[in-house]
Amino acid sequence: MYDVAIIGTGAAGISAALTLQSRGKSILLLGKRELSAKMTLAEEIRNYPGLGFVSGKQMQEGFINHLAQMNIGIVQKHVTEIAKTGDSFKILCGQETFDACSVILATGVSSLKTYEGEERLLGKGVSYCATCDGFLYKDQPIAVVCTSKDFEGEIEYLEQTCSKIYLVANYKNPKQFSDKVSMISGKNIRISGNEYVEMIQNDTNEYDVKAVFILRDNIAPSSMIKNLQTENGHIAINRMCETNITGCYAAGDCTGRPYQYVKAAGEGNVAAHSVLEYLSETGYKGNAKTRPYKKYPLSFDDAIDVTDLSNMPTDQTIDDLVRFRLTNGEVEFVEKDVCEKGDIVTITVKGGVGRYNRENIRVTIGQNLYDYEAENKLVGKRTGETISVLKDSEITITIHGIQTPVSKELTDEMVRALNNPAVTTLNQYYQMVKQEAQQAELDLITYHVLSEIHEQTPTTETPEEVIVRLGELEKEFFDKLFAQQMGKGILSMNEEELKKNLGVSTVDEFIASRRDWYQMKYNQLLGLSKAMNIELTDEFDYMNKYEVLMNLQTMAAEKIKNRVLGGMSHG
């Protein structure tokens, strides 16, 4: 967990990062490595103290150099949601999640307007992340509003999941997708539905859909974080840059005019000092380290340095996991009168949006209700009390019972009941669970390290004819395989058989898909070998020695394991 996550790499975000780094706090700086695109377009900036007359490009270079001198790295991820869970924040970047004790929003001001119905139906069919929520709409019709080619991979994922896609492509030269995808006009887009998305409309037609995925670089802060207060389209803050959400601060253009770099930098500094005071008063402290600034291309050790290593299991997390497994999650309960965080409360929830129409729920305060305002209001209440929480409409919560969970004492007999001859004592079981948990986290770390390396552009590209030849070789292999299994090969399959067995309609489509796959594998092979300083000879046969890539990945995983566990006091 980081001390603070800073969302945005404009003047406000960078100013906050520099201040917090100088005070020894761990920072997760999320944004674009090239910083603000608008900054580079400025012909001349005159009012930034100490710089004189500079262009936006010169200011950008100065900011980047300053980050490098302070050893602050930028994590180039697209933030889709921020959720406050208990006393900390979860920052969701697609399927990847980061944890922080506090947050500074420095997202800048976006010229993009939300669509009619977007904010009202957010989380009820409107989503900003296809890979997170696409599976919810398997074999159902959806719509996608996309603003950049960078998101075409998410559309391809939805192609494999949903029955029909109506695509609004608000950018030039979109790729040709399958017949599942129909391009529609993006004029006067409106999203409608009662409790959930039912339809998307434009100026010419209306389409029945179950969800609308809006894939854009910038997300309105009010959509990004639940219950954030805004005024006239900007985040509402006080003089200390505090928002209405405890632990969340905002700075820069996202808080309102004037839209100037000097104002943004000043607010970034104020927000940073507010975070310092907040962390000092609460005693919260993250266990992550600020990701060091690294110039690309990365060496293998560089890639490890810019990867989050802070989630390795601790003795406390292992103890919690062992207790849960050995007791099957069972605990003894002591009845009490007043709610505190961590209590199990039996409640009735009525009213509000559809998902809160539930009765007789057992909820662990701070974890399960998914309405943090309601959770906070439960604390201090007594059995039999009724409270109301104003949301989209009023929610009424009636408390029926309050119990404090008491953990059962763990014994060797519980371990022996698992019937594992190799593990018969509590201490042995702890060690086994610890190794399993560490290995799971190491696998995730390895994935992130390799991802950092694979994202780098290789210095040379595979000749097109080599990739095509590999596709042909694989086609021949599959042709023989299906000839053995089915008595006929790819070349003699009709369209229906090809779709059933290969997911394509033509042999040419199959070759094209494999060409992309081999390009990806080649980039992985080249990037990983270069990062690990292993030279591949010109005679390397990419088809028949594919296991070399697997060997490289195994070597990488072992190196990461030694590096990480070697530095763990509890590892």
Side-chain angles (χ1 to χ4, degrees), residues 305-323:
D305 287 340
V306 299
T307 299
D308 185 5
L309 308 180
S310 65
N311 290 321
M312 290 299 293
T314 63
D315 289 338
Q316 180 61 53
T317 57
I318 297 301
D319 185 69
D320 292 342
L321 185 57
V322 167
R323 287 184 176 279

Side-chain angles (χ1 to χ4, degrees), residues 185-322:
S185 167
K187 292 183 179 179
N188 299 321
I189 290 291
R190 304 179 303 284
I191 305 168
S192 59
N194 292 322
E195 291 188 3
Y196 299 94
V197 167
E198 297 172 8
M199 182 184 298
I200 186 170
Q201 301 161 286
N202 57 20
D203 57 350
T204 59
N205 211 336
E206 55 188 37
Y207 307 88
D208 292 331
V209 295
K210 296 297 184 182
V212 178
F213 290 88
I214 301 174
L215 309 179
R216 60 161 77 100
D217 288 325
N218 295 321
I219 299 175
S222 57
S223 299
M224 186 183 294
I225 183 167
K226 183 180 177 182
N227 297 329
L228 181 68
Q229 185 177 337
T230 59
E231 293 178 357
N232 300 320
H234 298 101
I235 302 172
I237 59 170
N238 60 19
R239 287 182 59 83
M240 299 307 295
C241 292
E242 297 169 321
T243 71
N244 64 305
I245 297 174
T246 303
C248 178
Y249 305 83
D253 289 355
C254 63
T255 67
R257 296 181 183 276
Y259 301 145
Q260 295 193 345
Y261 297 118
V262 63
K263 175 258 192 184
E267 282 193 347
N269 180 266
V270 173
H273 280 279
S274 294
V275 165
L276 289 169
E277 184 175 344
Y278 172 72
L279 295 176
S280 176
E281 288 179 351
T282 59
Y284 299 148
K285 184 172 178 59
N287 61 333
K289 296 180 180 178
T290 299
R291 296 189 176 195
Y293 182 94
K294 298 290 182 182
K295 292 186 177 180
Y296 287 73
L298 299 175
S299 71
F300 188 77
D301 287 336
D302 289 340
I304 296 178
D305 287 340
V306 299
T307 299
D308 185 5
L309 308 180
S310 65
N311 290 321
M312 290 299 293
T314 63
D315 289 338
Q316 180 61 53
T317 57
I318 297 301
D319 185 69
D320 292 342
L321 185 57
V322 167

Side-chain angles (χ1 to χ4, degrees), residues 296-562:
Y296 287 73
L298 299 175
S299 71
F300 188 77
D301 287 336
D302 289 340
I304 296 178
D305 287 340
V306 299
T307 299
D308 185 5
L309 308 180
S310 65
N311 290 321
M312 290 299 293
T314 63
D315 289 338
Q316 180 61 53
T317 57
I318 297 301
D319 185 69
D320 292 342
L321 185 57
V322 167
R323 287 184 176 279
F324 180 82
R325 286 186 179 181
L326 290 182
T327 64
N328 295 316
E330 295 177 2
V331 292
E332 297 175 355
F333 290 100
V334 177
E335 293 187 6
K336 56 186 300 187
D337 295 325
V338 180
C339 289
E340 296 178 296
K341 285 197 174 183
D343 287 344
I344 308 296
V345 186
T346 306
I347 59 177
T348 297
V349 183
K350 290 186 177 180
V353 294
R355 61 180 176 180
Y356 294 113
N357 290 330
R358 304 177 295 183
E359 293 197 4
N360 296 328
I361 308 169
R362 292 169 64 84
V363 55
T364 303
I365 297 182
Q367 294 181 21
N368 295 65
L369 190 56
Y370 300 109
D371 186 284
Y372 307 116
E373 185 180 355
E375 290 171 353
N376 290 333
K377 287 200 174 185
L378 282 173
V379 175
K381 299 296 180 181
R382 296 176 177 275
T383 301
E385 284 198 48
T386 299
I387 64 172
S388 294
V389 180
L390 188 64
K391 197 172 172 53
D392 296 332
S393 58
E394 197 171 80
I395 301 171
T396 300
I397 300 175
T398 304
I399 305 173
H400 300 297
I402 308 169
Q403 294 178 311
T404 297
V406 179
S407 298
K408 288 185 176 181
E409 183 180 353
L410 304 183
T411 64
D412 290 342
E413 285 68 28
M414 290 180 176
V415 175
R416 284 191 278 272
L418 299 174
N419 295 321
N420 184 343
V423 180
T424 57
T425 68
L426 196 57
N427 184 57
Q428 289 174 335
Y429 189 68
Y430 265 97
Q431 293 303 315
M432 185 189 77
V433 172
K434 189 174 193 176
Q435 289 173 5
E436 289 176 350
Q438 285 180 341
Q439 189 58 54
E441 186 60 34
L442 283 167
D443 290 341
L444 190 60
I445 291 171
T446 301
Y447 167 78
H448 288 307
V449 171
L450 298 184
S451 295
E452 288 285 352
I453 294 170
H454 296 164
E455 285 177 4
Q456 301 176 85
T457 303
T459 54
T460 60
E461 293 293 326
T462 308
E464 182 70 8
E465 58 269 23
V466 174
I467 302 171
V468 173
R469 179 177 65 81
L470 293 174
E472 292 285 357
L473 285 171
E474 190 179 25
K475 181 182 78 67
E476 292 175 10
F477 168 77
F478 275 105
D479 193 46
K480 293 175 183 177
L481 178 64
F482 281 110
Q484 293 173 355
Q485 293 181 343
M486 304 171 58
K488 60 192 307 187
I490 288 176
L491 296 177
S492 57
M493 286 185 188
N494 58 35
E495 182 177 332
E496 184 177 341
E497 290 169 328
L498 283 166
K499 282 185 177 179
K500 180 180 179 180
N501 293 288
L502 299 174
V504 296
S505 301
T506 67
V507 174
D508 289 341
E509 187 181 341
F510 173 74
I511 294 175
S513 68
R514 305 322 294 169
R515 181 188 303 127
D516 295 339
W517 187 83
Y518 276 109
Q519 180 70 69
M520 177 190 71
K521 286 301 177 185
Y522 176 84
N523 289 351
Q524 290 181 350
L525 189 64
L526 190 63
L528 190 54
S529 61
K530 184 176 180 180
M532 295 185 69
N533 200 26
I534 296 174
E535 185 176 351
L536 300 178
T537 64
D538 293 336
E539 295 78 23
F540 184 80
D541 185 336
Y542 300 100
M543 186 64 184
N544 296 323
K545 294 187 178 179
Y546 173 72
E547 66 270 13
V548 171
L549 176 59
M550 305 306 295
N551 291 338
L552 280 172
Q553 292 175 334
T554 301
M555 292 167 59
E558 192 62 30
K559 189 170 183 179
I560 291 167
K561 180 177 180 180
N562 293 336

